[in-house]
Structures are given as C-alpha cells and as structure tokens.
Amino acid sequence: MKFSRTTTMAVAIVGALALGSTLTACSSDDDKDKTADANAAVTLDVVGLLPGAKPEAQQALAQEVTDFQKENPNITVKTHDYEWKATTFAADLAGGTLPKVFEIPFTDAKTLIANQQISDMQDQLSTLSYAANFNKNLLQYGQGDNGHVYAIPAKSIYAVGLHYNRDLFTQAGLDPNKPPTTWDEVRADAKAIADKTGQAGFAQMSKDGTGGWQLTVDTYARGGRMEDGKKATLTNDATKASLQFLKDLRWTDNSMGANFSYDWSGINQAFAAGKLGMYTSGQDVYTSLVQTNNINPKSYGLTMIPLTGSDAGVLGGGTMAAVSSKANANEKAAAIKWIDFHYLRKYTKQEAAAKNAETMVASKQPVGTPELPIFSQQQYETYQGWIKSYVNVPLDQMTTFTSKVFDAKLVNEPAVATQDVYKSLDTVVQAVLTDKNANIDQLLTDANTKAQRAIDAAG
C-alpha cells in the first residue's frame, strides 16, 4: 500500500509507542453527572486561539462556533485567547480565570487529577461513538487511579523537528533543499547565516519552562535522559554536550543573535519575521506560524533534528482538553459536545473532516500540517484521504522530516515533576547564553538538586 509522507510518519510513531486501541468504559460515581439537563441553556467558556491570532484565523474559529451552535442551540460558546505557560497556568487555574474548557500538556494531567482540579469526564466521554477507539497509551496520560478519563487527547502527538528559514539559507549560500543532518552542520550553517545575513543563525528557547524543554530535546537527540525512574539525571554527558554546543554557537561563533530570552511564542514570532535561521520545536508549529505570525510559506522548511548515539531519540508530546473541576453537570455535558465538535470529530467522520477543511481553506488557514494520530493508524489514513484535496501547506518543504522521522525512536517527556525539571534547567540555559564563563558542570549539579527535590515531592 502506498502511504502519504505524513501517513508514513504516523505509522512509524504509532509503532514506536506500541499504541493500542482499547478504552475500558467506567461509570462515574459522581451523582451530579447524572443530573445534566439536555435542554438546559448553557454558556460555555472555552479556549480559542493564541493571543494575536490573525483575523482570518479568528474568522475560521467564529464560523466553527456558529456551526456548533446551530447543532446545539441551547449552548452558547464563548472563546478566549489562550496560551499555556508553565509560569502562569497554576495561578490562573487556582484563581478561576481560565475558561471551563482548557488545554494542557500530556505531562500535566496526572498532577491536576491528583489535585482534583479537573473534572472526571468518563461518563461524558462514553457517550461518544468513537470512545473505544482512542490509542490507550495516549489516553492513559489523562486517566486517574480509578481508571476514569479526566483529560482527553485533543491534538495529535508531535515530534520535535528542526525548523529552518529557506530564504536565509539561500542568502547565506546554503542549499535550502539540503538542510543540516548533523549538529556540526547545524553549527556551520548557523555561522554562515549569521556572517552573511546579519540574522541569528540558530536560536534557543530559554524561559517559562521552554529552556528546559528544548534542552531535554537536545539531550534526547544525543542519547541522554533527564530522569531514570524517580532519579534526576541532569548531569549526564549528553546534556553537557548540548550546553557546550550552545556555548560554542553563542561565544565562539557569535551566531545566535542578541536575544537570549525567548519563550515559545516569542521564538515563533522572530522566526516568522525572518530574524533567525533555525530552531527546534514540535513539527506541528507551522499552523501557529500561519495563524498568529503570518509566516511566508515559501520561506519555511522542516527537517529532522540530528540524532547521534545508540540511544538517541526524538522528544514527543501532545495536548489534552480538560474541564475545570468547578464545572457543573450541564457544563460538562456541553463541554464534551464541544470537545467532540472542535477537536475530534473531523478524524472520525468524513463530513466533519471536509467541513472543517473547507472552513479553514476559505479563511486561508493551513490544512494538512504534519500530525500524528490520536486514534488508530488506519483511521488516520482514512482521515488523510478525506482532506487530501484541501491540503494547502508546503509538504514538499518538509520531506526531510516526514520521510525520516519513522526511523527514529520517539521518547516521552520526563515522567515525574516534568515542569519543575524544565524550570530547573531554564536558568542553566540562560546562564550559558549570557555568561561567557558559565560553569556547565556546576550549573547542572545545582539544577539536578532542584529537580530531585521536585521529583521527591511529587512522590
């Protein structure tokens, strides 16, 4: 059977994760879940787009809300701009300023469940016809000790890739169709871009947990790990090599520009504006670059991050939809309908897939950005067929990623105290990029102590 590039990628990573497809339905003991009134008028606050999203993206979302409300006339949906940040999320959730339906990383659901901050959605999820078809190894991230589902996989698994600006490659005398395949080549290309264009050749996120996240990406790519069970292992050789690489780019090559305080949204903005040549992030970031940052599709390229060492791997993750524990029964019933309509139905029903793609294309939004399956590999292949005629993203400029990622090992994020581990590493990345005399060994020793403390506290 002939697969598309994105389907081949999906098949490979499903295999790498040994994904299954069984959901055991459990009935909830929460009496208030049984009191939902199907005809009650409900106003549901949900997350929308990133702050600063283009009018066309807002238009597409508004049309989706209109279509949803036609199908569910008793539900009024109000969208709110939203960007998950490790530094503000906990306070926003505790303060009650988040919408009733919000998005979280896979890594955060277990903590929120344990803290009783998100709702048990098992009964509501079980009303969906495809509830038994989720990949169980994804679903388990959002399950409590009782086996109930609290957070629902909403956006497909991502694998981190190397994003590069084809225009800057050309201006630097590099071939944009031959992106770097080794870290030495990344360094050489970054220096060429910086020397010949005056822009940063390579940039690294460094704050709000993103510095630790991307340093973990770099570590995995060199065969290291940040945790071994419940033991912090931040002082491993791969992490040291990753930091030395950044130090060399910054202080020896002067190829990282002048901004060393990027978060996720900030680095996306700089990249789309043509101010940097390369950076690492999830392969699905192209959609955000279009919706929020107005990137020129012709300038965009995606390739594999270099992998070296016998245990080298690509960091993978994803996003789940969760409902506040403060939601009442009617809001929870409305929430599952929105989660179905907004996130998931397009993968399971041809009419919904076509409608979603039509709406996105009409609003000049991307359709076909590489993603990985929430459900079975077979279902994802079917979905790809449904939207094939609507695809408008430059897949030919992503082939050095989509044709190779299936050969790589996909590695989950650190399992225990994930965000605390990342935060402990932010200061390390920042120090290396701002202090020429930064002592990598000492910085990592101090960070490892902080990370271990957080891991122990997490139990």
Side-chain angles (χ1 to χ4, degrees):
M1 180 177 181
K2 185 177 181 181
F3 295 151
S4 68
R5 286 184 292 272
T6 52
T7 299
T8 302
M9 175 175 63
V11 171
I13 293 188
V14 170
L17 288 175
L19 296 175
S21 60
T22 302
L23 167 64
T24 302
C26 303
S27 60
S28 173
D29 292 327
D30 189 349
D31 290 337
K32 74 175 183 178
D33 290 340
K34 301 175 183 178
T35 63
D37 181 353
N39 298 314
V42 179
T43 297
L44 186 68
D45 292 297
V46 305
V47 299
L49 300 170
L50 290 169
K54 293 169 58 180
E56 294 86 353
Q58 297 286 2
Q59 177 185 340
L61 180 58
Q63 182 60 55
E64 191 172 2
V65 169
T66 297
D67 292 340
F68 174 80
Q69 291 179 161
K70 286 181 180 178
E71 184 176 309
N72 301 277
N74 63 311
I75 303 174
T76 299
V77 169
K78 293 185 177 180
T79 63
H80 301 263
D81 291 349
Y82 176 83
E83 180 181 358
W84 185 92
K85 290 187 176 182
T87 53
T88 59
F89 175 78
D92 290 342
L93 180 59
T97 59
L98 291 180
K100 282 297 194 301
V101 181
F102 52 86
E103 297 173 359
I104 57 174
F106 279 11
T107 52
D108 280 29
K110 296 291 188 182
T111 298
L112 297 176
I113 295 168
N115 292 340
Q116 298 182 341
Q117 290 176 295
I118 57 177
S119 289
D120 185 334
M121 295 296 291
Q122 184 65 48
D123 283 351
Q124 290 75 21
L125 180 64
S126 296
T127 66
L128 302 179
S129 62
Y130 51 80
N133 298 331
F134 282 94
N135 288 312
K136 65 180 181 180
N137 283 354
L138 270 81
L139 201 66
Q140 62 89 18
Y141 283 100
Q143 288 178 308
D145 292 339
N146 59 0
H148 293 193
V149 174
Y150 290 73
I152 301 168
K155 294 182 180 179
S156 295
I157 313 167
Y158 69 80
V160 171
L162 179 67
H163 306 263
Y164 67 98
N165 185 302
R166 294 174 60 87
D167 290 344
L168 290 180
F169 265 65
T170 300
Q171 293 170 28
L174 304 170
D175 185 347
N177 294 318
K178 295 180 179 179
T181 59
T182 67
W183 289 113
D184 286 343
E185 290 177 357
V186 170
R187 182 178 176 182
D189 288 356
K191 189 174 190 310
I193 291 169
D195 289 348
K196 296 181 181 180
T197 73
Q199 303 295 346
F202 184 90
Q204 187 91 345
M205 300 179 217
S206 64
K207 67 178 185 178
D208 296 344
T210 62
W213 174 42
Q214 289 305 299
L215 185 58
T216 301
V217 169
D218 302 339
T219 296
Y220 286 2
R222 291 173 170 85
R225 299 293 185 269
M226 294 303 192
E227 291 181 0
D228 181 6
K230 292 189 176 182
K231 180 182 178 182
T233 58
L234 277 56
T235 58
N236 68 84
D237 289 343
T239 302
K240 293 179 182 179
S242 300
L243 289 166
Q244 186 62 51
F245 173 79
L246 294 175
K247 193 171 186 178
D248 290 341
L249 264 68
R250 167 67 175 99
W251 298 105
T252 301
D253 301 345
N254 192 28
S255 60
M256 296 188 72
N259 189 337
F260 310 110
S261 187
Y262 283 122
D263 61 5
W264 184 82
S265 59
I267 205 167
N268 290 345
Q269 183 179 1
F271 179 74
K275 295 181 179 180
L276 60 94
M278 293 176 282
Y279 76 114
T280 55
S281 191
Q283 99 283 333
D284 57 345
V285 78
Y286 179 78
T287 295
S288 179
L289 292 171
V290 172
Q291 292 181 335
T292 307
N293 305 116
N294 199 33
I295 194 170
N296 177 1
K298 293 181 180 179
S299 72
Y300 178 80
L302 172 65
T303 192
M304 284 288 293
I305 61 171
L307 300 176
T308 178
S310 60
D311 203 25
V314 179
L315 183 146
T319 298
M320 309 193 91
V323 180
S324 169
S325 59
K326 297 177 182 178
N328 60 39
N330 290 336
E331 289 171 329
K332 290 172 64 175
I336 198 64
K337 292 180 180 179
W338 173 253
I339 292 169
D340 166 47
F341 188 94
H342 179 61
Y343 295 106
L344 299 172
R345 191 183 300 183
K346 66 182 180 181
Y347 298 115
T348 62
K349 293 186 179 181
Q350 183 172 2
E351 182 179 356
K355 176 64 175 178
N356 177 265
E358 288 173 359
T359 299
M360 299 299 280
V361 169
S363 301
K364 299 180 181 179
Q365 299 305 294
V367 174
T369 298
E371 55 182 336
L372 305 175
I374 288 174
F375 300 106
S376 68
Q377 172 262 325
Q378 182 180 2
Q379 182 61 45
Y380 186 73
E381 288 179 33
T382 301
Y383 165 70
Q384 287 287 303
W386 291 339
I387 67 168
K388 184 177 181 180
S389 62
Y390 300 98
V391 171
N392 59 4
V393 304
L395 290 178
D396 289 344
Q397 293 161 210
M398 308 178 191
T399 56
T400 50
F401 178 88
T402 56
S403 66
K404 295 180 180 179
V405 72
F406 67 89
D407 289 324
K409 177 187 295 185
L410 191 71
V411 185
N412 293 332
E413 296 181 75
V416 185
T418 312
Q419 300 304 330
D420 291 308
V421 171
Y422 288 165
K423 290 175 189 177
S424 73
L425 289 165
D426 274 0
T427 54
V428 178
V429 175
Q430 291 164 8
V432 167
L433 296 180
T434 58
D435 180 2
K436 187 175 183 177
N437 298 313
N439 185 319
I440 290 175
D441 287 347
Q442 186 60 53
L443 287 166
L444 285 177
T445 297
D446 293 345
N448 198 78
T449 298
K450 294 178 183 177
Q452 187 63 57
R453 190 179 302 127
I455 291 170
D456 291 342

